[in-house]
Amino acid sequence: TLFRSSQVLLGAGLTVLSHPLMYCKVLVQVGHEPLPPTLGRNIFGRQVYQLPGLLTYAKHIVKIDGKVGLFSGLMPRLCAGTIGTIVHSKVLQLQAGDHGEDTVNGHKETPSSLDQVIRETSREMAARSAATLITHPFHVITLRCMVQFIGRETKYSGLFDSIVTIYHEEGIMGFFAGLVPRLLGDIISLWLCNMLAYFINTYALDNGVSTMGEMKGYSQAVTGFFASILTYPFVLVSNLMAVNNCGLAGGLTPYAPIYSSWVDCWRQLSRESNLSRGNSLFFRKVPAGKTYIVDQKRFR
């Protein structure tokens, strides 16, 4: 219980610190570009038109809504993080109790074996999926609180009011908008990360190296980064579907058409070469072949 409490507190602290970053990222994902491109230099020293980075974007939000404005949607996100941590931990405990210690022919299996990696990944997948499923309604509310910045709405002003609004307008299914691509992205990322790390640790690294543990830690981090890049489109599509056609300017034309499904959203973003939109918040290039529409604050 003490360990879980410390996990919840640490998670809450990280959530608060990272919230302005997520806020800016979500607005960029939706396509909101309140500041026009400026002439700058890329890493090779060439002059190029660039979009404002994270700090400039955050300063723009502060200019309009003050520093408190950077934490719009924080309360439902904290709820999601706290409940998610507890559910994740409980599901892992239940699975550990059901299976006991992993053994093969009466002998405890080594942690590095493929069967063990598959088993542990399967358990982690079940725990993460349960946590995501239960906390997704809070995630939807968080995103909608953030996207209100675009149209200056106040439709989602509090946690309870937001729950009532979504239930009244969209029913139970409104709380799970964008759930499928989010779950798929999480599952694919988890399996990619763990399987790639296993094969690198098993076949590419020399067990005789004195810093073997450290090297394996690095390989896990590298494969995690690689997996997150590959599955980023799922994150983008999930977030867009969570706000699509919910009565906010950021989820309607001209920012987005009304998508019939998450697959439809994926296809349209792919056609427009927008599946990586919002992936980077530091070195942001002007989209190729797109024109900045000043009055709409977006690219077309």
Side-chain angles (χ1 to χ4, degrees), residues 24-261:
C24 295
K25 195 178 189 75
V26 167
L27 293 178
V28 172
Q29 286 175 337
V30 174
H32 185 56
E33 295 293 350
L35 302 169
T38 55
L39 197 60
R41 294 187 183 275
N42 63 12
I43 55 173
F44 302 108
R46 285 204 334 234
Q47 278 199 331
V48 291
Y49 277 101
Q50 296 174 327
L51 290 169
L54 169 66
L55 291 176
T56 308
Y57 209 118
K59 283 178 184 175
H60 173 73
I61 294 172
V62 170
K63 186 179 176 183
I64 294 173
D65 288 339
K67 289 178 182 176
V68 177
L70 286 173
F71 297 92
S72 179
L74 177 61
M75 188 53 67
R77 191 172 171 223
L78 283 172
C79 290
T82 302
I83 296 168
T85 300
I86 294 167
V87 171
H88 182 273
S89 178
K90 282 285 186 186
V91 173
L92 285 179
Q93 279 180 9
L94 286 171
Q95 292 181 105
D98 288 342
H99 295 283
E101 286 193 292
D102 293 313
T103 59
V104 176
N105 298 326
H107 300 288
K108 191 172 180 183
E109 195 174 0
T110 57
S112 60
S113 75
L114 181 57
D115 284 345
Q116 178 74 351
V117 171
I118 290 172
R119 233 188 321 272
E120 287 182 356
T121 305
S122 298
R123 291 176 193 169
E124 178 65 19
M125 178 181 71
R128 282 196 196 182
S129 298
T132 298
L133 181 66
I134 290 171
T135 61
H136 193 74
F138 296 104
H139 181 66
V140 170
I141 294 169
T142 296
L143 294 173
R144 293 184 182 186
C145 287
M146 291 174 168
V147 170
Q148 286 185 138
F149 177 82
I150 297 170
R152 311 304 298 157
E153 299 102 340
T154 54
K155 188 176 180 180
Y156 300 92
S157 53
L159 185 57
F160 181 74
D161 287 345
S162 299
I163 291 170
V164 172
T165 300
I166 293 173
Y167 182 74
H168 178 71
E169 293 186 358
E170 301 167 63
I172 292 292
M173 294 309 293
F175 293 107
F176 298 97
L179 174 64
V180 174
R182 188 179 177 206
L183 274 175
L184 284 174
D186 280 350
I187 291 167
I188 293 169
S189 178
L190 175 65
W191 280 97
L192 265 177
C193 177
N194 286 4
M195 297 311 291
L196 277 172
Y198 167 75
F199 286 113
I200 290 171
N201 293 340
T202 306
Y203 300 109
L205 297 179
D206 181 7
N207 281 312
V209 178
S210 59
T211 56
M212 191 60 198
E214 194 176 331
M215 289 295 288
K216 286 188 175 182
Y218 289 144
S219 72
Q220 190 80 19
V222 170
T223 53
F225 177 71
F226 179 65
S228 69
I229 291 174
L230 286 180
T231 56
Y232 178 77
F234 288 97
V235 176
L236 175 62
V237 170
S238 172
N239 287 355
L240 293 185
M241 289 305 295
V243 301
N244 191 242
N245 196 26
C246 68
L248 299 177
L252 296 167
T253 307
Y255 284 97
I258 296 172
Y259 301 115
S260 60
S261 68

